[in-house]
Amino acid sequence: MREDVENLDITDVTANWVNAAVLQHQIDERIKALADLSHTPLFFGRLDYLHAPGADKAEGAAGERFYIGRRHVHDAEGDPMVIDWRAPVSQPFYRASKKDPMDVGLRRRFGYTSGDLTAYEDEHLSDPSEAAATSKLLQQEIERPRVGPMRDIVATIQPEQDEIVRAGLAGSVCVQGGPGTGKTAVGLHRVAYLLYAHRERLARTGTLVIGPNKSFLHYIEQVLPALGELEVKQATVDDLVAHVEVRGTDDATAAVVKGDARMAEVLRRAVRSHVTLPTEGVVVVRGSRRWRVPAYELETIVGELLDRDIRYGAAREALPQRIAHAVLVQMERSGEAPDDRVQDAVARNTAVKAAVKAIWPPVDPAKLVLRLLTDADFLAVHADGILDEDEQKEILWSKPVRSVKSAKWSPADAVLIDEATDLVQRTHSLGHVVLDEAQDLSPMQYRAVGRRCTTGSATVLGDLAQGTTPWATRSWDEALAHLGKGEAVIEELTAGFRVPTDVIAYASRLLPHIAPGLTPVASVRENPGFFEVRPTTVDEQVVDACEELLRNEGSVGLIAADARIPALTEVLAAAGLTYLGPGEETTAQTRLTLVPASLAKGLEYDYVVLDEPQAVVDGEPDERTGLRRLYVALTRAVSGLTVTHAAPLPQQLA
């Protein structure tokens, strides 16, 4: 298929060089999408239908066989050899069961080792004499070692996951899932499915995956290309709101206030305060005639624009046209017959432009936010009845700032500027947005993401128990309201495919203290996994634990409190043990990754050494946030976990 595209001759099919360039770009993208991926088979399953799909079963229509794979594959004549996993005919591969065979006589799963077909397994779903059994190949695929970046799960999607993946484009979905339930994979595969089902629409409107940090995005970046989807953009929330350079930080209290949804009303008031009601009329001179729009009529026009509550910039652009229209009405009453060109000319008249500048001056969002954060009186006026005096003092900067460029903006400040920017000019909306690790966002960050999908839909992924910011969301209903997707369906995934039973059971001891009411994850892995709590006296013993785990196949992550990273770096270097940073791809030579606890979220390793749990807790501003951070760190392991500690363990783990 790739060679066919490479051999296309477009010499005589393009009218000009622009068409030729566009077509060549499309061909290049198609070639990229058809690239061979090492160790990635083209098919992983087979369905033997009892009757041809869509045929009248009463007439005894013959059955049909389909091979299921990551993408559509056809032969030289164009006949399908492999059916895309997203096609409707492939759905029974994920949903069919002994109770509901969905007209499938046989479902076959294929097993591969390094890209070679090494096994297959059959289920005769419509045969009452065959008992339902757990798929060994499915279990092996789930428990396969994690080396390199995150991979697709098309061969192992479970029925409850498939329902979320194939949910329609029109509605938004929120997935609450504990560690290892596959929520990130579900979100990414949902994007792939939507691009398959709504290709043209999403090609026009765009899709975006939002992750918590660059390391996480680097870890997941190969999933969609492996499924042939190259056009999906990835970003962090900080990337979305990068109107200014972020060089500063806030303390937790100030960040919570700045991230509060009430700040949106403070900003709205501050933006609208720039509008000044006119006290004088406007006189427009055209030739020998003078046309006057009195102050009271201008005031009516301004009042109507304010009442419409449209974007500040859009209203400012409409004002000169409204004034010009008032002049045209006078012209028509006097017997003239002006047209649209006359109205445009009047709108550009010097007197009209001067009036607009005085009544509705331009607003620079960054300068507006800077004034709010540095001018106590200006903040007090617009935060009156919204923020109390203590909250206002928390967000005011102690030192004066000369300009927007010299200001040391914090991440929360950048979000405020994004809100102000949207109040002035509407933010471009995409067709679909996936928001991962959503529990860590502030209300104002939710609003920033929501602006990117006002005319589209969203897939929200997260775990309330893993909220590790002081402003972490308390409920999905509240978060979805800030996102502007209050109608979203909330789904919960509770089957754990990644974390071994003993590990998740140990980590779940923290749940009553960090997220009471959440259903603990139940591991479906047959392998209970390796788990050990090991007291230590020196840091070299932590290195010993890493070396022991490196004797196994797969990746090893050493997770520690951020403050412990320098000390561990030294002992690893002294031991001659090479390691990677979070998100970097492991190799056969280097399988150890040193991970600060603050960057562990969303990552996974075959084996984990967790250093000093109490230090992880102490590294956060409060105990609840610290315990949540610890819960995240404890649940990164796929096959085994060693907890090392010289200090006593947190009492919640007792």
Side-chain angles (χ1 to χ4, degrees), residues 41 52 56 61 72 76 119 124 133 147 165 167 181 203 209 281 299 312 341 343 374 398 416 508 525 589 624 630 642:
D56 188 346
H72 170 83
H124 298 87
V147 177
V165 167
T181 53
V209 174
E299 188 173 335
Y312 184 92
R341 288 176 297 177
Q343 179 168 331
T374 56
S398 56
L416 296 179
S508 293
R525 297 169 68 95
Q589 293 73 34
R624 187 186 188 196
L630 178 58
T642 298

Side-chain angles (χ1 to χ4, degrees), residues 58-304:
E59 296 180 0
E64 200 164 351
R65 174 177 296 171
F66 299 95
Y67 284 86
I68 313 300
R70 285 166 174 77
R71 55 182 318 136
H72 170 83
V73 180
H74 61 247
D75 62 17
E77 283 71 44
D79 294 326
M81 299 177 68
V82 178
I83 305 298
D84 194 301
W85 67 276
R86 298 166 286 189
V89 76
S90 303
Q91 189 170 337
F93 185 79
Y94 303 107
R95 302 268 188 99
S97 64
K98 294 292 289 187
K99 291 183 179 178
D100 181 14
M102 300 177 71
D103 200 44
V104 173
L106 179 141
R107 172 169 57 197
R108 174 169 289 179
R109 300 181 192 275
F110 295 99
Y112 292 85
T113 303
S114 300
D116 294 328
L117 178 62
T118 53
Y120 69 88
E121 183 180 74
D122 289 346
E123 296 173 87
H124 298 87
L125 297 176
S126 299
D127 184 354
S129 64
E130 183 178 291
T134 302
S135 168
K136 297 292 185 184
L137 286 180
L138 192 64
Q139 203 69 37
Q140 289 171 12
E141 177 64 22
I142 289 172
E143 298 183 11
R144 188 155 57 94
R146 263 69 167 167
V147 177
M150 182 179 179
R151 57 178 182 257
D152 66 75
I153 61 163
V154 289
T156 62
I157 294 174
Q158 300 299 293
E160 64 272 19
Q161 296 174 326
D162 190 63
E163 287 184 21
I164 298 170
V165 167
R166 296 178 192 264
L169 176 61
S172 293
V173 180
C174 175
V175 182
Q176 158 63 40
T181 53
K183 55 186 179 295
T184 296
V186 165
L188 294 174
H189 287 69
R190 175 159 161 72
V191 171
Y193 171 77
L194 293 176
L195 285 167
Y196 174 87
H198 307 276
R199 176 80 57 192
E200 291 186 8
R201 179 175 172 183
L202 290 177
R204 292 193 310 270
T205 55
T207 51
L208 174 67
V209 174
I210 302 174
N213 52 56
K214 297 290 186 184
S215 298
F216 178 82
L217 292 177
H218 183 67
Y219 177 62
I220 68 170
E221 67 183 357
Q222 296 302 319
V223 175
L224 289 169
L227 301 175
E229 302 299 346
L230 306 174
E231 298 299 318
V232 180
K233 295 180 180 178
Q234 296 182 347
T236 64
V237 174
D238 291 343
D239 294 332
L240 299 183
V241 301
H243 303 284
V244 292
E245 183 183 357
V246 173
R247 296 184 295 137
T249 56
D250 289 310
D251 62 38
T253 308
V256 168
V257 177
K258 289 179 181 179
D260 195 296
R262 293 174 297 162
M263 287 300 298
E265 177 59 21
V266 175
L267 289 165
R268 193 185 76 87
R269 288 183 183 180
V271 168
R272 288 168 67 96
S273 72
H274 289 75
V275 178
T276 304
L277 293 178
T279 56
E280 297 180 357
V282 176
V283 178
V284 177
V285 179
R286 283 186 61 79
S288 60
R289 302 293 299 270
R290 295 164 63 86
W291 308 96
R292 186 173 186 277
V293 182
Y296 71 85
E297 191 170 350
L298 288 176
E299 188 173 335
T300 301
I301 293 172
V302 172
E304 288 174 352

Side-chain angles (χ1 to χ4, degrees), residues 320-324 342-350 352-353 356:
Q321 291 291 336
R322 295 292 295 273
I323 296 173
V342 175
Q343 179 168 331
D344 289 339
V346 172
R348 295 193 300 270
N349 182 275
T350 304
V352 173
K353 287 162 65 174
V356 170

Side-chain angles (χ1 to χ4, degrees), residues 211-539:
N213 52 56
K214 297 290 186 184
S215 298
F216 178 82
L217 292 177
H218 183 67
Y219 177 62
I220 68 170
E221 67 183 357
Q222 296 302 319
V223 175
L224 289 169
L227 301 175
E229 302 299 346
L230 306 174
E231 298 299 318
V232 180
K233 295 180 180 178
Q234 296 182 347
T236 64
V237 174
D238 291 343
D239 294 332
L240 299 183
V241 301
H243 303 284
V244 292
E245 183 183 357
V246 173
R247 296 184 295 137
T249 56
D250 289 310
D251 62 38
T253 308
V256 168
V257 177
K258 289 179 181 179
D260 195 296
R262 293 174 297 162
M263 287 300 298
E265 177 59 21
V266 175
L267 289 165
R268 193 185 76 87
R269 288 183 183 180
V271 168
R272 288 168 67 96
S273 72
H274 289 75
V275 178
T276 304
L277 293 178
T279 56
E280 297 180 357
V282 176
V283 178
V284 177
V285 179
R286 283 186 61 79
S288 60
R289 302 293 299 270
R290 295 164 63 86
W291 308 96
R292 186 173 186 277
V293 182
Y296 71 85
E297 191 170 350
L298 288 176
E299 188 173 335
T300 301
I301 293 172
V302 172
E304 288 174 352
L305 288 173
L306 287 171
D307 290 342
R308 288 176 62 190
D309 203 25
I310 59 177
R311 295 298 193 282
Y312 184 92
R316 187 172 187 274
E317 292 172 3
L319 181 56
Q321 291 291 336
R322 295 292 295 273
I323 296 173
H325 177 73
V327 172
L328 259 65
V329 169
Q330 294 183 33
M331 289 180 175
E332 290 169 349
R333 286 174 182 167
S334 68
E336 295 188 22
D339 57 16
D340 290 345
R341 288 176 297 177
V342 175
Q343 179 168 331
D344 289 339
V346 172
R348 295 193 300 270
N349 182 275
T350 304
V352 173
K353 287 162 65 174
V356 170
K357 186 175 182 180
I359 297 168
W360 214 292
V363 170
D364 182 301
K367 288 181 179 178
L368 175 79
V369 173
L370 184 63
R371 187 178 175 191
L372 275 173
L373 298 177
T374 56
D375 186 336
D377 294 336
F378 187 67
L379 176 62
V381 169
H382 301 299
D384 183 41
I386 301 176
L387 304 179
D388 61 35
E389 290 186 9
D390 290 338
E391 288 173 322
Q392 292 177 35
K393 289 178 182 177
E394 282 292 343
I395 64 174
L396 276 170
W397 291 358
S398 56
K399 296 180 180 179
V401 178
R402 291 182 181 179
S403 67
V404 168
K405 287 188 176 180
S406 64
K408 290 188 176 181
W409 299 105
S410 71
D413 297 332
V415 178
L416 296 179
I417 294 172
D418 189 69
E419 179 85 26
T421 302
D422 185 70
L423 289 167
V424 175
Q425 206 72 41
R426 183 182 295 278
T427 304
H428 174 67
S429 177
L430 298 165
H432 193 77
V433 170
V434 174
L435 175 60
D436 205 353
E437 300 295 350
Q439 72 281 345
D440 275 339
L441 269 59
S442 70
M444 290 298 285
Q445 288 176 315
Y446 279 119
R447 290 175 61 87
V449 174
R451 285 191 283 279
R452 271 75 186 178
C453 56
T454 51
T455 58
S457 55
T459 300
V460 181
L461 313 166
D463 179 12
L464 296 178
Q466 296 186 60
T468 51
T469 55
W471 50 84
T473 191
R474 290 169 289 189
S475 76
W476 289 123
D477 287 334
E478 180 183 320
L480 293 168
H482 294 311
L483 194 68
K485 302 294 180 186
E487 80 292 346
V489 176
I490 301 175
E491 303 281 359
E492 187 171 9
L493 296 176
T494 57
F497 303 98
R498 172 168 56 78
V499 187
T501 303
D502 292 350
V503 175
I504 196 64
Y506 185 70
S508 293
R509 296 181 186 182
L510 298 175
L511 280 180
H513 308 281
I514 59 176
L518 272 191
T519 305
V521 172
S523 178
V524 298
R525 297 169 68 95
E526 291 186 348
N527 180 359
F530 169 79
F531 174 65
E532 178 189 14
V533 178
R534 181 184 298 183
T536 60
T537 53
V538 292
D539 289 345

